[in-house]
Amino acid sequence: MASPHAPFFPIIYVRGYAMTEREQDETTADPFCGFNLGSTVYRATPDKTKPAKKFVFESPVLRLMSDFGYADVYDNGLDILDGEWEGSLSLRSIVIYRYYEQASALLGSGKTPDISQFARGLSDLVLRVRDLACANPDNRLAPEDFRCHLVAHSMGGLVCRAFLQNPDLGDDQARASVDKVFTYATPHNGIDVAGINVPEWLGAADMNNFNRENMARYLKLEALYKKTQRVDWLPEEVFPSERFFCMIGTNRADYGVALGLSRTFAGHGSDGLVRIENASVWGVNARGKFSAPCATAYTYRSHSGYFGIVNSEEAYQNLTRFLFGDVRVDIWVDIDSVQLPPEIQGKAVNALYQFELLASPRGKRWYLTRRMAEEDSVACRSHQDLVDPAKKDARSIYLSTVFLANRARVNPARPSLAYGMTLGVRVPDYEVDRKFWADTHYEGGYLFRDTVIVEMVPPQTPGDAWTTRFGWQSDNVGHATESLAYRTLKTGKQVMTIAFGNDNAPGIAGRVRFVVSAWNAAADGQEVQ
């Protein structure tokens, strides 16, 4: 049964890893465990020699309160886990999972429990929130209809996954109460130091929580890990992958932990601690086969700090659109052909194609997702991937997911949801006979790069179809004039495609594919026609 309150459910925030006793004490002393931190600066470009720009982001807590009417749950100096706390909860509540209290020298024993205990504690907290919400007569809510959202940073995402994926670490009723999960910069496939996974024997400060063999045990993924050597799998039978979102940071330069040693050992292609390739989750079906990528978006933010991912407008907008938005768009590119330069056609060639994507809503000053070659966040395919008939699946490349919200329209008189999307495919460094082919090479060149405006008008009356237009900006700046054809899938989703590129030599041609669906449809009765 769909909840009449959807999608505005209690938000439970699960903070990240605190290494030292001092960090654990600081966490315990903070009522919101960092979810209340804002920022006044951001990097306009990756160039750290240029000054940061002023951009005020008040904090996730304050914005959820001001934008959506959420409130904290503290009362008379107590939180909901204190035995003296009395009352009931509004469904628009922000609950902080203060799991480091038991590890703190301030309020606990000073000994850190293992991650399994944190997962069990999260299960207990979900049930506590459920009981208090159902006790509120204004909610008119039965326990079986209760739902909540889990929002987590860094290791907090692993606590959420352990609770959801391991039946020994929580209650089935608690797991059934989770509607969506959003993670910021979580090391879903562990942490690598200088290219090597954190060793299992490194128990100091519980760093072995990020060792893949240990993760496979507490995530209940031993068989899949043995087969794939990865632990970033989300079994569909325990939680649907489409309800899971991974926000990924790409700025390692601004992560200053350990005087910069962390970003040095994490290396390029990281947020300063978590490698980009380890920060997402992939759905897997009951047969152990890949089913779907979880929704992902990328932002030029570091793991934490002044330029951190949690206290950023970009991540907040993805969070609220994922939790409360109206339309979901999964963005793919399907490659039809690639053409080599005439001089090397017919030769054995190695090349790596890099696919860039930037997507931003109309009228906003930030990107919903940003994948750039200079930030090591691109999607990549080899030349062999794109030309080998036996690798058909490799020619379909998932880029990102964006969520759009009717409330965010700049002009209420315009019913459309619109965003600009820049797609770029870099000219690869062609290698012939294992040697770099320098003829006609210009570093930073593109086989294709253009921006398309996509404007979607949802059905205005029941039974109507969506109206969708697009326009490449190289043809018509600022306008979407071409009608976009679509087809409906059996799942109720729509698929729309736009051709791009050409068959020049060198060149690339294919289609941008948008898989569109109504999001949070139970809340407003929307359906994809």
Side-chain angles (χ1 to χ4, degrees):
M1 177 179 176
S3 170
H5 305 281
F8 297 103
F9 303 129
I11 294 171
I12 299 177
Y13 176 67
V14 188
R15 70 147 287 146
Y17 175 64
M19 176 184 290
T20 66
E21 182 178 301
R22 178 181 177 182
E23 290 173 342
Q24 292 174 356
D25 288 344
E26 289 176 347
T27 297
T28 301
D30 182 347
F32 296 98
C33 296
F35 204 43
N36 54 318
L37 297 180
S39 176
T40 59
V41 292
Y42 84 109
R43 295 286 184 199
T45 71
D47 187 354
K48 288 190 69 177
T49 64
K50 296 181 179 179
K53 283 193 173 184
K54 183 177 180 180
F55 187 97
V56 176
F57 172 66
E58 302 94 315
S59 83
V61 165
L62 285 177
R63 288 290 293 276
L64 284 165
M65 290 178 174
S66 63
D67 293 351
F68 298 98
Y70 273 74
D72 66 65
V73 298
Y74 300 124
D75 181 54
N76 198 27
L78 303 173
D79 74 11
I80 62 173
L81 292 181
D82 290 314
E84 300 173 45
W85 195 95
E86 296 180 354
S88 57
L89 286 184
S90 162
L91 288 176
R92 300 200 189 198
S93 293
I94 299 172
V95 179
I96 307 300
Y97 180 27
R98 299 177 53 80
Y99 64 90
Y100 266 121
E101 278 191 359
Q102 53 194 314
S104 166
L106 290 175
L107 297 176
S109 65
K111 296 181 180 179
T112 305
D114 64 29
I115 201 167
S116 298
Q117 289 178 260
F118 293 154
R120 292 188 185 96
L122 178 58
S123 176
D124 293 340
L125 179 60
V126 170
L127 294 178
R128 174 67 169 160
V129 173
R130 180 200 66 180
D131 293 345
L132 292 173
C134 292
N136 187 339
D138 293 337
N139 294 334
R140 299 179 182 178
L141 189 66
E144 61 269 21
D145 295 328
F146 170 79
R147 296 292 183 271
C148 65
H149 302 306
L150 300 183
V151 177
H153 175 232
S154 193
M155 190 186 78
L158 300 181
V159 174
C160 294
R161 286 182 61 202
F163 153 58
L164 290 171
Q165 295 183 212
N166 191 330
D168 300 325
L169 302 182
D171 185 276
D172 286 341
Q173 293 183 27
R175 280 186 278 270
S177 297
V178 177
D179 184 66
K180 302 186 188 81
V181 180
F182 184 98
T183 64
Y184 303 90
T186 290
H188 289 294
N189 192 47
I191 287 179
D192 294 326
V193 179
I196 301 173
N197 186 219
V198 171
E200 186 176 14
W201 52 262
L202 186 59
D206 295 292
M207 283 293 291
N208 62 353
N209 284 336
F210 310 109
N211 168 266
R212 282 189 271 274
E213 289 188 13
N214 190 35
M215 292 173 67
R217 285 191 286 271
Y218 66 71
L219 294 174
K220 265 312 191 205
L221 290 173
E222 293 97 329
L224 272 172
Y225 174 68
K226 185 176 181 180
K227 180 180 178 181
T228 65
Q229 297 299 295
R230 301 188 68 86
V231 290
D232 47 357
W233 303 111
L234 180 65
E236 298 282 358
E237 66 268 21
V238 301
F239 194 80
S241 60
E242 70 171 10
R243 313 294 287 182
F244 204 107
F245 193 108
C246 300
M247 193 74 212
I248 301 173
T250 64
N251 174 13
R252 64 184 283 271
D254 281 316
Y255 191 58
V257 168
L259 300 178
L261 287 177
S262 174
R263 64 173 178 254
T264 299
F265 285 111
H268 291 284
S270 75
D271 62 9
L273 178 64
V274 179
R275 293 194 60 78
I276 293 170
E277 63 189 17
N278 290 336
S280 57
V281 174
W282 301 81
V284 60
N285 62 29
R287 299 187 304 277
K289 301 294 185 181
F290 162 77
S291 57
C294 294
T296 60
Y298 300 75
T299 181
Y300 189 69
R301 290 282 179 168
S302 62
H303 191 77
S304 62
Y306 300 127
F307 301 95
I309 193 169
V310 177
N311 52 329
S312 71
E313 185 76 31
E314 299 95 325
Y316 172 78
Q317 292 295 336
N318 276 282
L319 169 68
T320 56
R321 282 165 163 75
F322 173 64
L323 296 185
F324 315 129
D326 303 299
V327 179
R328 173 182 179 138
V329 184
D330 298 307
I331 305 172
W332 298 70
V333 291
D334 300 317
I335 304 305
D336 295 328
S337 65
V338 292
Q339 299 294 332
L340 294 170
E343 300 90 333
I344 59 175
Q345 290 181 7
K347 297 182 180 180
V349 174
N350 290 324
L352 186 69
Y353 297 85
Q354 301 178 74
F355 295 83
E356 298 180 338
L357 177 72
L358 299 96
S360 58
R362 178 176 56 205
K364 306 301 181 182
R365 297 175 58 197
W366 30 261
Y367 295 109
L368 281 173
T369 192
R370 168 173 165 152
R371 306 189 69 174
M372 299 287 292
E374 288 80 5
E375 296 159 19
D376 303 303
S377 56
V378 289
C380 296
R381 289 293 187 273
S382 71
H383 184 71
Q384 191 66 20
D385 287 336
L386 299 184
V387 299
D388 188 343
K391 295 186 175 183
K392 182 179 179 180
D393 289 345
R395 296 199 291 275
S396 292
I397 305 162
Y398 169 72
L399 294 180
S400 273
T401 298
V402 297
F403 293 85
L404 304 176
N406 282 316
R407 61 177 172 78
R409 290 199 300 265
V410 176
N411 183 353
R414 299 179 69 177
S416 63
L417 301 173
Y419 63 92
M421 190 195 76
T422 299
L423 175 67
V425 186
R426 290 290 186 113
V427 175
D429 294 337
Y430 298 109
E431 293 183 359
V432 179
D433 297 327
R434 298 185 179 181
K435 294 181 180 179
F436 171 59
W437 184 72
D439 293 4
T440 70
H441 176 83
Y442 298 93
E443 185 64 28
Y446 287 87
L447 292 175
F448 174 84
R449 192 174 194 274
D450 203 348
T451 298
V452 63
I453 300 297
V454 180
E455 189 169 10
M456 299 182 294
V457 181
Q460 301 302 295
T461 58
D464 287 351
W466 288 64
T467 301
T468 308
R469 298 185 297 273
F470 76 95
W472 289 107
Q473 297 306 277
S474 58
D475 298 327
N476 197 349
V477 175
H479 297 282
T481 57
E482 300 292 327
S483 296
L484 191 56
Y486 64 88
R487 61 188 178 91
T488 302
L489 300 177
K490 292 181 179 179
T491 58
K493 299 178 179 180
Q494 291 180 355
V495 175
M496 298 177 282
T497 61
I498 301 175
F500 75 92
N502 54 62
D503 289 323
N504 295 340
I508 190 166
R511 289 153 290 123
V512 183
R513 173 162 49 99
F514 305 99
V515 182
V516 183
S517 57
W519 191 243
N520 291 315
D524 52 19
Q526 289 189 67
E527 293 182 359
V528 176
Q529 301 297 320

